[in-house]
PDB file of all heavy atoms in Angstrom:
ATOM      1  N   PHE N1136      -6.410  33.011  11.559  1.00  0.00           N
ATOM      2  CA  PHE N1136      -7.334  32.264  10.755  1.00  0.00           C
ATOM      3  C   PHE N1136      -8.327  31.577  11.655  1.00  0.00           C
ATOM      4  O   PHE N1136      -7.961  30.833  12.555  1.00  0.00           O
ATOM      5  CB  PHE N1136      -6.609  31.195   9.920  1.00  0.00           C
ATOM      6  CG  PHE N1136      -5.968  31.760   8.661  1.00  0.00           C
ATOM      7  CD1 PHE N1136      -5.420  33.052   8.595  1.00  0.00           C
ATOM      8  CD2 PHE N1136      -5.913  30.978   7.508  1.00  0.00           C
ATOM      9  CE1 PHE N1136      -4.844  33.532   7.479  1.00  0.00           C
ATOM     10  CE2 PHE N1136      -5.360  31.483   6.376  1.00  0.00           C
ATOM     11  CZ  PHE N1136      -4.808  32.742   6.290  1.00  0.00           C
ATOM     12  N   VAL N1137      -9.619  31.792  11.402  1.00  0.00           N
ATOM     13  CA  VAL N1137     -10.688  31.125  12.132  1.00  0.00           C
ATOM     14  C   VAL N1137     -11.275  30.031  11.241  1.00  0.00           C
ATOM     15  O   VAL N1137     -11.793  30.332  10.158  1.00  0.00           O
ATOM     16  CB  VAL N1137     -11.805  32.149  12.538  1.00  0.00           C
ATOM     17  CG1 VAL N1137     -12.868  31.459  13.385  1.00  0.00           C
ATOM     18  CG2 VAL N1137     -11.159  33.336  13.270  1.00  0.00           C
ATOM     19  N   ALA N1160      -3.056  50.264   7.355  1.00  0.00           N
ATOM     20  CA  ALA N1160      -2.962  48.796   7.342  1.00  0.00           C
ATOM     21  C   ALA N1160      -2.116  48.319   6.140  1.00  0.00           C
ATOM     22  O   ALA N1160      -2.166  48.922   5.085  1.00  0.00           O
ATOM     23  CB  ALA N1160      -4.343  48.161   7.301  1.00  0.00           C
ATOM     24  N   PRO N1168      -2.219  56.930  -9.139  1.00  0.00           N
ATOM     25  CA  PRO N1168      -3.631  56.840  -9.606  1.00  0.00           C
ATOM     26  C   PRO N1168      -4.255  55.467  -9.261  1.00  0.00           C
ATOM     27  O   PRO N1168      -5.464  55.394  -8.917  1.00  0.00           O
ATOM     28  CB  PRO N1168      -3.479  57.007 -11.113  1.00  0.00           C
ATOM     29  CG  PRO N1168      -2.209  57.812 -11.268  1.00  0.00           C
ATOM     30  CD  PRO N1168      -1.290  57.341 -10.184  1.00  0.00           C
ATOM     31  N   ARG N1193     -29.313  48.351   2.549  1.00  0.00           N
ATOM     32  CA  ARG N1193     -30.719  48.624   2.291  1.00  0.00           C
ATOM     33  C   ARG N1193     -30.944  48.995   0.857  1.00  0.00           C
ATOM     34  O   ARG N1193     -32.008  48.604   0.252  1.00  0.00           O
ATOM     35  CB  ARG N1193     -31.241  49.688   3.213  1.00  0.00           C
ATOM     36  CG  ARG N1193     -32.663  50.144   2.948  1.00  0.00           C
ATOM     37  CD  ARG N1193     -33.110  51.185   3.968  1.00  0.00           C
ATOM     38  NE  ARG N1193     -32.139  52.278   4.052  1.00  0.00           N
ATOM     39  CZ  ARG N1193     -32.072  53.288   3.213  1.00  0.00           C
ATOM     40  NH1 ARG N1193     -32.913  53.332   2.157  1.00  0.00           N
ATOM     41  NH2 ARG N1193     -31.225  54.240   3.393  1.00  0.00           N
ATOM     42  N   THR N1215     -29.285  30.222 -20.593  1.00  0.00           N
ATOM     43  CA  THR N1215     -28.603  28.911 -20.476  1.00  0.00           C
ATOM     44  C   THR N1215     -28.668  28.165 -21.759  1.00  0.00           C
ATOM     45  O   THR N1215     -27.649  27.595 -22.250  1.00  0.00           O
ATOM     46  CB  THR N1215     -29.208  28.086 -19.320  1.00  0.00           C
ATOM     47  OG1 THR N1215     -29.040  28.807 -18.116  1.00  0.00           O
ATOM     48  CG2 THR N1215     -28.484  26.741 -19.217  1.00  0.00           C
ATOM     49  N   LEU N1226     -17.992  21.715 -29.224  1.00  0.00           N
ATOM     50  CA  LEU N1226     -17.722  20.292 -29.193  1.00  0.00           C
ATOM     51  C   LEU N1226     -17.721  19.727 -30.603  1.00  0.00           C
ATOM     52  O   LEU N1226     -16.901  18.825 -30.924  1.00  0.00           O
ATOM     53  CB  LEU N1226     -18.793  19.575 -28.337  1.00  0.00           C
ATOM     54  CG  LEU N1226     -18.708  19.855 -26.807  1.00  0.00           C
ATOM     55  CD1 LEU N1226     -19.945  19.270 -26.121  1.00  0.00           C
ATOM     56  CD2 LEU N1226     -17.440  19.260 -26.210  1.00  0.00           C
ATOM     57  N   VAL N1235     -15.777  26.528 -18.154  1.00  0.00           N
ATOM     58  CA  VAL N1235     -15.674  27.801 -17.441  1.00  0.00           C
ATOM     59  C   VAL N1235     -15.890  28.931 -18.476  1.00  0.00           C
ATOM     60  O   VAL N1235     -16.748  29.791 -18.284  1.00  0.00           O
ATOM     61  CB  VAL N1235     -14.303  27.955 -16.769  1.00  0.00           C
ATOM     62  CG1 VAL N1235     -14.157  29.363 -16.201  1.00  0.00           C
ATOM     63  CG2 VAL N1235     -14.157  26.945 -15.647  1.00  0.00           C
ATOM     64  N   PHE N1240     -18.747  31.042 -16.713  1.00  0.00           N
ATOM     65  CA  PHE N1240     -18.499  32.466 -16.681  1.00  0.00           C
ATOM     66  C   PHE N1240     -19.599  33.246 -17.378  1.00  0.00           C
ATOM     67  O   PHE N1240     -20.185  34.210 -16.787  1.00  0.00           O
ATOM     68  CB  PHE N1240     -17.131  32.823 -17.314  1.00  0.00           C
ATOM     69  CG  PHE N1240     -17.056  34.250 -17.782  1.00  0.00           C
ATOM     70  CD1 PHE N1240     -17.157  35.290 -16.924  1.00  0.00           C
ATOM     71  CD2 PHE N1240     -16.917  34.502 -19.152  1.00  0.00           C
ATOM     72  CE1 PHE N1240     -17.135  36.634 -17.390  1.00  0.00           C
ATOM     73  CE2 PHE N1240     -16.880  35.818 -19.620  1.00  0.00           C
ATOM     74  CZ  PHE N1240     -16.991  36.869 -18.729  1.00  0.00           C
ATOM     75  N   PRO N1243     -23.577  33.804 -15.404  1.00  0.00           N
ATOM     76  CA  PRO N1243     -23.774  34.851 -14.402  1.00  0.00           C
ATOM     77  C   PRO N1243     -23.442  36.260 -14.855  1.00  0.00           C
ATOM     78  O   PRO N1243     -24.036  37.216 -14.390  1.00  0.00           O
ATOM     79  CB  PRO N1243     -22.880  34.400 -13.237  1.00  0.00           C
ATOM     80  CG  PRO N1243     -21.882  33.473 -13.823  1.00  0.00           C
ATOM     81  CD  PRO N1243     -22.587  32.788 -14.968  1.00  0.00           C
ATOM     82  N   ASP N1257     -19.066  44.882 -22.994  1.00  0.00           N
ATOM     83  CA  ASP N1257     -18.028  45.230 -22.013  1.00  0.00           C
ATOM     84  C   ASP N1257     -17.737  44.077 -21.007  1.00  0.00           C
ATOM     85  O   ASP N1257     -16.799  44.193 -20.232  1.00  0.00           O
ATOM     86  CB  ASP N1257     -18.462  46.443 -21.187  1.00  0.00           C
ATOM     87  CG  ASP N1257     -18.646  47.686 -22.057  1.00  0.00           C
ATOM     88  OD1 ASP N1257     -18.074  47.730 -23.175  1.00  0.00           O
ATOM     89  OD2 ASP N1257     -19.321  48.640 -21.611  1.00  0.00           O
ATOM     90  N   PRO N1276       1.594  39.319 -13.567  1.00  0.00           N
ATOM     91  CA  PRO N1276       2.729  40.119 -14.012  1.00  0.00           C
ATOM     92  C   PRO N1276       2.775  41.456 -13.324  1.00  0.00           C
ATOM     93  O   PRO N1276       1.712  41.981 -12.878  1.00  0.00           O
ATOM     94  CB  PRO N1276       2.423  40.305 -15.535  1.00  0.00           C
ATOM     95  CG  PRO N1276       1.522  39.195 -15.863  1.00  0.00           C
ATOM     96  CD  PRO N1276       0.715  38.898 -14.632  1.00  0.00           C
ATOM     97  N   LEU N1287     -10.957  49.923 -13.914  1.00  0.00           N
ATOM     98  CA  LEU N1287     -12.284  49.743 -13.316  1.00  0.00           C
ATOM     99  C   LEU N1287     -12.832  51.091 -12.836  1.00  0.00           C
ATOM    100  O   LEU N1287     -14.011  51.356 -13.077  1.00  0.00           O
ATOM    101  CB  LEU N1287     -12.196  48.739 -12.126  1.00  0.00           C
ATOM    102  CG  LEU N1287     -12.173  47.267 -12.471  1.00  0.00           C
ATOM    103  CD1 LEU N1287     -11.821  46.470 -11.250  1.00  0.00           C
ATOM    104  CD2 LEU N1287     -13.532  46.839 -13.039  1.00  0.00           C
ATOM    105  N   HIS N1420     -19.449  19.433  12.715  1.00  0.00           N
ATOM    106  CA  HIS N1420     -20.772  19.734  12.159  1.00  0.00           C
ATOM    107  C   HIS N1420     -21.150  18.873  10.987  1.00  0.00           C
ATOM    108  O   HIS N1420     -22.327  18.694  10.655  1.00  0.00           O
ATOM    109  CB  HIS N1420     -20.872  21.209  11.800  1.00  0.00           C
ATOM    110  CG  HIS N1420     -21.175  22.102  12.934  1.00  0.00           C
ATOM    111  ND1 HIS N1420     -22.397  22.503  13.269  1.00  0.00           N
ATOM    112  CD2 HIS N1420     -20.364  22.647  13.852  1.00  0.00           C
ATOM    113  CE1 HIS N1420     -22.396  23.290  14.342  1.00  0.00           C
ATOM    114  NE2 HIS N1420     -21.133  23.370  14.699  1.00  0.00           N
ATOM    115  N   GLY N1458     -27.283  38.428  -2.645  1.00  0.00           N
ATOM    116  CA  GLY N1458     -27.452  37.786  -3.942  1.00  0.00           C
ATOM    117  C   GLY N1458     -27.491  36.280  -3.870  1.00  0.00           C
ATOM    118  O   GLY N1458     -27.474  35.664  -4.940  1.00  0.00           O
ATOM    119  N   PRO N1471     -28.923  21.176 -14.377  1.00  0.00           N
ATOM    120  CA  PRO N1471     -29.635  20.052 -15.029  1.00  0.00           C
ATOM    121  C   PRO N1471     -29.766  20.174 -16.534  1.00  0.00           C
ATOM    122  O   PRO N1471     -29.747  19.217 -17.266  1.00  0.00           O
ATOM    123  CB  PRO N1471     -31.018  20.058 -14.345  1.00  0.00           C
ATOM    124  CG  PRO N1471     -31.133  21.393 -13.694  1.00  0.00           C
ATOM    125  CD  PRO N1471     -29.730  21.842 -13.339  1.00  0.00           C
ATOM    126  N   ALA N1476     -28.364  18.158 -21.775  1.00  0.00           N
ATOM    127  CA  ALA N1476     -27.960  18.392 -23.165  1.00  0.00           C
ATOM    128  C   ALA N1476     -26.757  17.554 -23.596  1.00  0.00           C
ATOM    129  O   ALA N1476     -26.671  17.193 -24.795  1.00  0.00           O
ATOM    130  CB  ALA N1476     -27.599  19.899 -23.309  1.00  0.00           C
TER     131      ALA N1476
END
Side-chain angles (χ1 to χ4, degrees):
F1136 278 36
V1137 183
R1193 174 177 51 81
T1215 300
L1226 290 171
V1235 174
F1240 158 64
D1257 297 340
L1287 280 169
H1420 278 266

